Amino acid sequence: MDVTEIQSSEWSMALGQFDQVVEAFADVDQCLRIIIRTPKGSDPHRPLFGCDIWQHLDKPINQVRPLVIRELIDALSMWEPRIVLLRIEVEAADLHWLNFKIVWQPAAGGEPRQTEVFYRE
C-alpha cells in the first residue's frame, strides 16, 4: 500500500493483513476489538490497557452480564476517546463464548454505529 492512498487522518495497520490499512470507522472498530481482546497487564508499556472480561467467563450469564458490561464501559471509555458508548449487549454463545454488541457514536458527532465482537476464553 502506498501512503498516498490513505484518505483519513485516523488510520492503523490492518491486523492480520500484510500491507493493508483500516481507516475512519473501520479503524475505530478495529481498536475496539483490540481493547476488548487484550487482557490487562499484557502490554508492558501500558499495564492498564485492555479489558479483564476473561475473569468472568466461568460464571452464569446472569451474573456475568453486569460485570462484563462494567468492565467494557471502563476499558472503552478509558482507551477509545473517539467514541461515545450508547449501548452494550452481552449474550452467551455457549459456556466459553461471549458475544458483545457495542453501539457507539463518534465523539465528534454522527450516526450511531455498531461493533460486534465474539470473545472466546
Side-chain angles (χ1 to χ4, degrees):
M1 160 148 248
D2 185 356
V3 293
T4 61
E5 295 176 33
I6 297 172
Q7 301 294 313
S8 175
S9 62
E10 301 196 10
W11 63 276
S12 299
M13 298 302 296
L15 296 179
Q17 298 177 11
F18 178 72
D19 200 29
Q20 297 294 317
V21 299
V22 288
E23 300 182 66
F25 297 128
D27 177 42
V28 173
D29 187 70
Q30 178 174 277
C31 288
L32 293 177
R33 293 170 191 281
I34 291 170
I35 294 165
I36 291 168
R37 290 181 175 150
T38 303
K40 285 182 184 175
S42 61
D43 182 338
H45 296 287
R46 297 178 298 174
L48 297 178
F49 180 80
C51 192
D52 279 344
I53 55 177
W54 61 270
Q55 293 181 348
H56 307 294
L57 289 179
D58 61 342
K59 300 172 186 161
I61 189 64
N62 61 340
Q63 292 176 10
V64 166
R65 192 173 283 116
L67 299 171
V68 168
I69 288 173
R70 173 81 282 164
E71 188 72 37
L72 290 169
I73 289 170
D74 289 348
L76 298 176
S77 297
M78 176 182 253
W79 295 106
E80 189 46 85
R82 298 177 292 177
I83 69 166
V84 174
L85 290 170
L86 300 177
R87 186 174 71 247
I88 297 175
E89 297 174 16
V90 178
E91 296 177 2
D94 71 25
L95 186 60
H96 298 286
W97 281 84
L98 291 176
N99 180 28
F100 307 116
K101 193 179 294 181
I102 300 158
V103 180
W104 56 275
Q105 186 173 11
E111 294 296 315
R113 308 203 47 98
Q114 180 174 301
T115 298
E116 211 167 322
V117 181
F118 291 96
Y119 184 88
R120 181 171 186 221
E121 180 179 35

